[in-house]
Amino acid sequence: MIYESCPALGENQFIRSLQAFFRSVWYQALVVLLMVVSNVFALELPVFYIYLFLGLAVMLFAEDTLPLVPIFLCCYMTIAPENNPATHVETTVFKDPAFKVQFMAILGVAAVAIAARLVYSVAFSPSKGERRGSPALSLGFLALGVSYVLGGLFSPYYSAKTALFGLVQIASLCALYYFFYFTVDFRRAEKDYLLKYFLFLGFGIILETVRLYFLPGVFTPDGVDRGKLTTGWGMYNNIGCIVAMCIPAGFYFALTHQKGWRYTLLACLTFGGVILTQSRGSILFGGIVFAISYIYVVTKSKGRERLGHLVVGGAVILIVMVLFAVFFEKFMKLFASMIRFDSNGRDKIWKDGLAQFAEHPLFGVGFYECGALRWGNLPSDSFLPPRYHDTYLQLLASGGIVALLCYAFHRFQTVRLFFKNKTRENMFLGLVVLALILTSFTDCHFFNFGPGLLYSVVLVFIERIPKAEKPEPTPEQTN
């Protein structure tokens, strides 16, 4: 805000250096590294203070709020396993009065600063006219939000609590979309800014996953118990979804950089991280996104670049086959609890969801009637309800036909937006969204707050990043 009100500050060497740092890959790497440090060493409070300091500096001295993107998206994944409020109810740091006071103070300062920045950008910013417009997805978000809030209407289960959860749910899907729509000058943003972030994020979450294997009880005489692979912000399925969403980023850079095979290798390692989470749904659907991305890169590349991608793919397959043959028994122990052919209770919960929809087909039964299983051992008074582990069953059971139709309209708008703004960057951002949609066929990721935040930011980038005036050259053309 200070910079926009006083452009002369742009002549100051320190301010220019600070702005350059905020837009650099080093800044993105720092934010992701702080996320990992917080998660691995249970340093949530110090990291929250650092995030607050960085965020305030961005809002005061940066050219716009683009550098807030990594902070907003990483905050959700900072909580250490030892401080998970659901699994460590009595020992979590969130029960400590001193922590709670400081945490609420940080949230309060951040909320005031964010609100002030949004009001300034909309009403007073010198460049406000360039950022105004009608967000393309507004009608779809409005319809979906109304259906969430009205979920359970005319059933015995409708209450203020389910309406409130619906409101919070839609906010997680669109709040950042609107905030960045009006506070970022996307003409200045690098087209691959968000894909760089996803590249860093994938490896940050993989480091968090590796750390989980050192938790007590993970290794048993019968092999690894994947149920113990639970971090402070989610269990193995939640982790697998986020890593799967990061797969397309590596392939984007594989296609757009010389010696792109190095990034193909990074994408393979990212998919290896998905496997390490032992989330079967994430492995299946992340594998589909991986295959689509790999085939697209091989098809679009030529000459030595294509050969490099093919060699990396073949080498990785060969190495995995050899390792599996040599260490077969160890692999079987490592994935002992994952290799089983059952629905893990989903068949029962899906059947119950269909029955509830049949009872109240118009508006469903709201968000708090999924009682077949308490997924994740959630407390009975938890604000986060058990869910149906399938986007479409969740919509039908919780919001009925109305919610399903509103979701279909929202999805129509997002697909139309993608084809209207079809660029190379949006192709891979679209694959990020596809990873979320596919993994949500067998899980509740679309109704989790963390993936919702990622989803909202991806959508605003797809909409707002301008197209290049001329097609960018491929690596082969620059040789």
Side-chain angles (χ1 to χ4, degrees):
M1 289 188 291
I2 292 178
Y3 171 77
E4 284 192 290
S5 300
C6 186
L9 286 174
E11 301 301 318
N12 182 279
Q13 181 60 43
F14 173 75
I15 297 298
R16 288 205 306 268
S17 300
L18 187 64
Q19 291 175 343
F21 170 67
F22 281 144
R23 287 182 175 266
S24 70
V25 294
W26 302 111
Y27 169 75
Q28 292 193 10
L30 172 64
V31 174
V32 173
L33 178 62
L34 287 168
M35 175 195 77
V36 176
V37 168
S38 173
N39 180 272
V40 172
F41 299 105
L43 295 173
E44 293 92 345
L45 200 57
V47 169
F48 289 158
Y49 274 117
I50 296 173
Y51 278 174
L52 179 64
F53 172 78
L54 290 173
L56 292 175
V58 166
M59 285 188 273
L60 290 174
F61 301 112
E63 297 162 303
D64 56 28
T65 65
L66 182 68
L68 292 181
V69 168
I71 294 178
F72 270 120
L73 299 185
C74 282
C75 277
Y76 178 81
M77 294 167 282
T78 56
I79 311 302
E82 296 85 355
N83 291 323
N84 188 318
T87 58
H88 294 73
V89 179
E90 298 302 325
T91 59
T92 175
V93 71
F94 288 93
K95 288 281 188 179
D96 178 64
F99 178 92
K100 287 195 290 186
V101 169
Q102 294 180 77
F103 180 63
M104 293 306 296
I106 291 171
L107 284 182
V109 172
V112 170
I114 291 166
R117 189 63 173 85
L118 180 60
V119 170
Y120 175 81
S121 294
V122 172
F124 304 108
S125 172
S127 58
K128 63 182 180 180
E130 298 162 0
R131 300 178 191 175
R132 279 180 177 170
S134 177
L137 303 179
S138 292
L139 285 178
F141 276 131
L142 177 62
L144 194 60
V146 170
S147 74
Y148 281 178
V149 172
L150 297 182
L153 190 67
F154 303 133
S155 78
Y157 314 109
Y158 188 67
S159 66
K161 187 176 182 181
T162 191
L164 178 60
F165 181 81
L167 191 62
V168 174
Q169 181 66 60
I170 194 61
S172 74
L173 292 176
C174 69
L176 293 186
Y177 168 83
Y178 285 107
F179 177 76
F180 289 120
Y181 187 98
F182 290 110
T183 63
V184 172
D185 185 351
F186 283 95
R187 299 169 306 168
R188 297 178 179 177
E190 294 182 7
K191 295 189 297 296
D192 59 2
Y193 182 89
L194 194 58
L195 288 161
K196 287 177 183 175
Y197 167 75
F198 274 107
L199 191 66
F200 285 121
L201 178 66
F203 286 95
I205 301 301
I206 290 172
L207 290 176
E208 292 188 2
T209 305
V210 170
R211 190 262 172 151
L212 296 180
Y213 281 85
F214 294 90
L215 293 176
V218 171
F219 285 91
T220 71
D222 297 324
V224 169
D225 178 7
R226 66 174 182 156
K228 299 293 185 180
L229 299 177
T230 300
T231 189
W233 51 272
M235 38 86 79
Y236 55 88
N237 284 332
N238 308 120
I239 305 166
C241 170
I242 300 297
V243 183
M245 292 176 71
C246 297
I247 290 172
F251 283 115
Y252 168 81
F253 293 105
L255 183 61
T256 57
H257 284 62
Q258 293 187 25
K259 297 183 181 179
W261 62 266
R262 296 172 296 180
Y263 291 97
T264 298
L265 180 58
L266 291 180
C268 291
L269 292 175
T270 305
F271 183 58
V274 177
I275 297 173
L276 197 64
T277 67
Q278 303 209 27
S279 168
R280 291 178 295 183
S282 299
I283 294 171
L284 171 62
F285 296 115
I288 293 173
V289 171
F290 178 92
I292 294 172
S293 303
Y294 181 73
I295 292 170
Y296 182 80
V297 168
V298 170
T299 302
K300 292 294 183 180
S301 58
K302 297 179 181 178
R304 288 176 297 171
E305 292 294 330
R306 177 181 290 179
L307 179 62
H309 301 312
L310 291 172
V311 168
V312 167
V316 168
I317 292 174
L318 181 61
I319 291 171
V320 170
M321 290 175 63
V322 170
L323 290 176
F324 188 76
V326 174
F327 301 103
F328 178 77
E329 291 187 5
K330 293 186 181 296
F331 273 106
M332 294 303 290
K333 277 203 165 188
L334 179 63
F335 299 107
S337 59
M338 183 185 76
I339 306 172
R340 63 185 189 207
F341 298 97
D342 62 18
S343 66
N344 200 20
R346 283 170 173 77
D347 52 346
K348 174 68 166 65
I349 211 165
W350 289 342
K351 183 179 177 181
D352 288 351
L354 287 172
Q356 290 171 331
F357 165 66
E359 269 186 65
H360 301 278
L362 190 59
F363 288 101
V365 296
F367 285 100
Y368 287 90
E369 295 309 309
C370 179
L373 289 173
R374 283 212 169 270
W375 299 88
N377 299 316
L378 296 171
S380 58
D381 60 347
S382 172
F383 179 69
L384 188 67
R387 280 147 294 162
Y388 296 89
H389 283 60
D390 176 85
T391 297
Y392 304 98
L393 272 174
Q394 182 77 52
L395 290 165
L396 288 172
S398 298
I401 290 291
V402 172
L404 184 64
L405 291 176
C406 290
Y407 174 83
F409 177 59
H410 168 68
R411 186 58 58 228
F412 163 75
Q413 284 200 314
T414 58
V415 172
R416 183 178 62 180
L417 178 68
F418 171 77
F419 283 105
K420 180 181 177 182
N421 298 340
K422 198 171 181 181
T423 65
R424 184 182 296 168
E425 292 73 28
N426 285 353
M427 168 68 190
F428 288 92
L429 289 176
L431 288 170
V432 172
V433 173
L434 181 63
L436 174 61
I437 292 173
L438 291 179
T439 54
S440 298
F441 272 111
T442 56
D443 225 301
C444 46
H445 303 308
F446 193 75
F447 290 86
N448 284 335
F449 301 137
L453 298 176
L454 292 169
Y455 175 76
S456 65
V457 173
V458 171
L459 291 181
V460 75
F461 269 76
I462 289 176
E463 181 174 350
R464 295 290 282 168
I465 288 289
K467 295 181 181 180
E469 293 182 3
K470 297 181 180 179
E472 295 182 12
T474 61
E476 297 80 17
Q477 294 171 323
T478 59
N479 287 339

